Amino acid sequence: MSERPQLLYCQDILESGAAILSYVQGITCDAFVQDRMRYSAVIREFEIIGEAVGKLSVELKSGYPEISWQDVKDFRNLLTHEYFGVDLEIVWNTVRDDLPMLLGAVQKIVTGIK
């Protein structure tokens, strides 16, 4: 079985990130934490992002040290394995504060790969 190209993992990250941003568009944190379907969807997309980041090569990630790649993977693990302990305000803050920077870096990677 051949290895999946790095570009496809980057596209997975961009697609999941865009989905997250669309899920939270125009709502408040309070509305987010009260909407199980919405926060469940956001958590699932973050899991996909974390899995995809884990498949990116060390060489590729090293070119973008402004992103804490390990934190992205760790966040995925927390969401997946600590589902009773997930703090939805942290998820919300991650969407607002960290996701845009990650998506910007991955977009630069994609532009460089193509």
Side-chain angles (χ1 to χ4, degrees):
M1 181 185 231
S2 64
E3 191 172 312
R4 193 167 184 241
Q6 299 282 291
L7 178 62
L8 294 180
Y9 292 117
C10 290
Q11 289 172 335
D12 291 339
I13 294 166
L14 293 175
E15 288 172 9
S16 287
I20 290 169
L21 295 176
S22 74
Y23 300 160
V24 302
Q25 185 175 7
I27 67 165
T28 64
C29 180
D30 289 337
F32 175 72
V33 301
Q34 297 299 319
D35 188 338
R36 183 178 181 145
M37 187 183 313
R38 192 179 306 264
Y39 70 69
S40 294
V42 166
I43 288 170
R44 175 66 180 141
E45 298 295 345
F46 270 124
E47 290 171 345
I48 293 168
I49 289 171
E51 281 293 314
V53 162
K55 302 294 184 181
L56 296 177
S57 71
V58 172
E59 296 79 25
L60 186 113
K61 292 184 282 192
S62 68
Y64 299 86
E66 69 274 16
I67 300 300
S68 179
W69 299 104
Q70 187 61 50
D71 286 351
V72 176
K73 285 179 55 180
D74 291 347
F75 189 55
R76 175 257 177 223
N77 291 336
L78 175 108
L79 295 173
T80 301
H81 300 294
E82 300 296 329
Y83 46 87
F84 291 123
V86 171
D87 184 331
L88 294 173
E89 288 189 30
I90 291 173
V91 175
W92 177 262
N93 290 337
T94 301
V95 171
R96 188 189 65 213
D97 300 335
D98 302 322
L99 184 60
M101 186 184 314
L102 174 65
L103 296 179
V106 173
Q107 186 59 58
K108 288 178 189 173
I109 292 170
V110 167
T111 301
I113 291 175
K114 287 185 175 179

